[in-house]
Amino acid sequence: AVAVTAPASAEQRQLIERTAAFIAQNGDGVAASLLAREGAALAFLSAEHPLHAYYLQRRDESIEERRRQEVKL
């Protein structure tokens, strides 16, 4: 199991969670363009970043939540 480091600030946590939900909705293909456009602000999108595992966890949770909502429809 990969150790998941949580963000130190509420602002960073919210940014990661919003970004993860956006990518869950629009597909992983947008991650590279977001990283290129936003750079340091979204550095957690890079696999080498210490918060990348946290981002992936939130993205996967967002994907699963979307699937559960689609099943209810």
Side-chain angles (χ1 to χ4, degrees):
V2 175
V4 176
T5 303
S9 73
E11 285 180 340
Q12 192 168 36
R13 179 183 50 79
Q14 290 172 342
L15 176 62
I16 292 172
E17 290 178 0
R18 283 195 310 266
T19 304
F22 180 80
I23 291 172
Q25 181 177 356
N26 295 288
D28 284 331
V30 299
S33 62
L34 283 175
L35 182 58
R37 189 172 65 224
E38 300 297 330
L42 300 181
F44 57 83
L45 293 174
S46 174
E48 297 79 32
H49 195 277
L51 293 173
H52 187 69
Y54 181 83
Y55 152 72
L56 290 176
Q57 184 180 57
R58 294 297 177 242
R59 183 204 61 193
D60 292 349
E61 289 172 1
S62 291
I63 290 169
E64 185 57 34
E65 180 62 29
R66 288 179 58 77
R67 286 187 185 137
R68 281 195 298 269
Q69 289 176 0
E70 288 174 5
V71 168
K72 290 179 184 177
L73 298 177

